[in-house]
Amino acid sequence: MKVLVLGGPNLNLLGNREPEIYGTDTLKDIENWVNGLFSQKGIQSDWFQSNSESELIDKIQSAKANGYDSIVINPAGLTHSSVSLHDALRSFDGKKIEVHLSNTYKREEFRKIKITSSASDGVVEGFGKKSYAMAFHYLSELS
Ligand code: DQA
């Protein structure tokens, strides 16, 4: 199974960004850790982060043509604002899992508004980098 892992705005700052909330791993650290766990379990993944909503939408639109079976996405702040990202995800015909490092329900009220989440098959949040591993675990059982 080929998985596209997408990361939204500010996730490029992981490691330094509010480490008490997001941990001290960089996104690259998380990528390497998850790939180490799952590359022998039938999952090949490509990770792409952007601060640009349009770049993320372009990646989703071209995902099928580029051979991806599934998308794991942490839309970051766009979770709470982006109808366009929601619509792009709906157009992807494959498994979709939304992940969050933090438990957004324990945070500010505005984070409880989830525009993108209903476009995915499921959501894993609140377990730090293990949120990604849980999403991959689910996908590995399908492949
Ligand atoms: C986040 C949660 C979002 O509310 C926030 O805007 C992020 C990160 C998470 O992974 O916990 O940037 O998606």
Side-chain angles (χ1 to χ4, degrees), residues 80 104-114:
H80 318 293
T104 56
Y105 293 100
K106 287 169 77 177
R107 300 181 62 194
E108 300 97 325
E109 280 300 307
F110 65 81
R111 290 185 207 278
K112 293 180 184 149
I113 297 164
K114 305 288 186 69

Side-chain angles (χ1 to χ4, degrees), residues 9-11 17 21-22 74-80 99-104 107 110-111 132:
N10 301 304
L11 294 181
R17 176 192 179 202
I21 297 174
Y22 299 118
N74 182 347
L78 294 173
T79 308
H80 318 293
V99 299
H100 298 282
L101 297 158
S102 65
N103 179 350
T104 56
R107 300 181 62 194
F110 65 81
R111 290 185 207 278
Y132 286 87

Side-chain angles (χ1 to χ4, degrees), residues 123-141:
V123 181
V124 187
E125 68 172 90
F127 301 102
K129 65 183 180 183
K130 289 183 181 166
S131 295
Y132 286 87
M134 289 176 189
F136 270 60
H137 177 70
Y138 173 77
L139 294 175
S140 73
E141 299 222 312

Side-chain angles (χ1 to χ4, degrees), residues 76-100:
L78 294 173
T79 308
H80 318 293
S81 67
S82 180
V83 173
S84 306
L85 200 54
H86 169 106
D87 290 346
L89 284 165
R90 280 184 64 93
S91 77
F92 176 77
D93 178 22
K95 284 286 172 202
K96 292 156 276 190
I97 306 177
E98 182 171 301
V99 299
H100 298 282

Side-chain angles (χ1 to χ4, degrees), residues 7-14 17 27 48-57 75-78:
N10 301 304
L11 294 181
N12 55 310
L13 301 179
L14 285 180
R17 176 192 179 202
L27 192 56
F48 175 79
Q49 185 277 333
S50 179
N51 294 328
S52 156
E53 183 177 19
S54 68
E55 283 189 355
L56 295 166
I57 291 169
L78 294 173

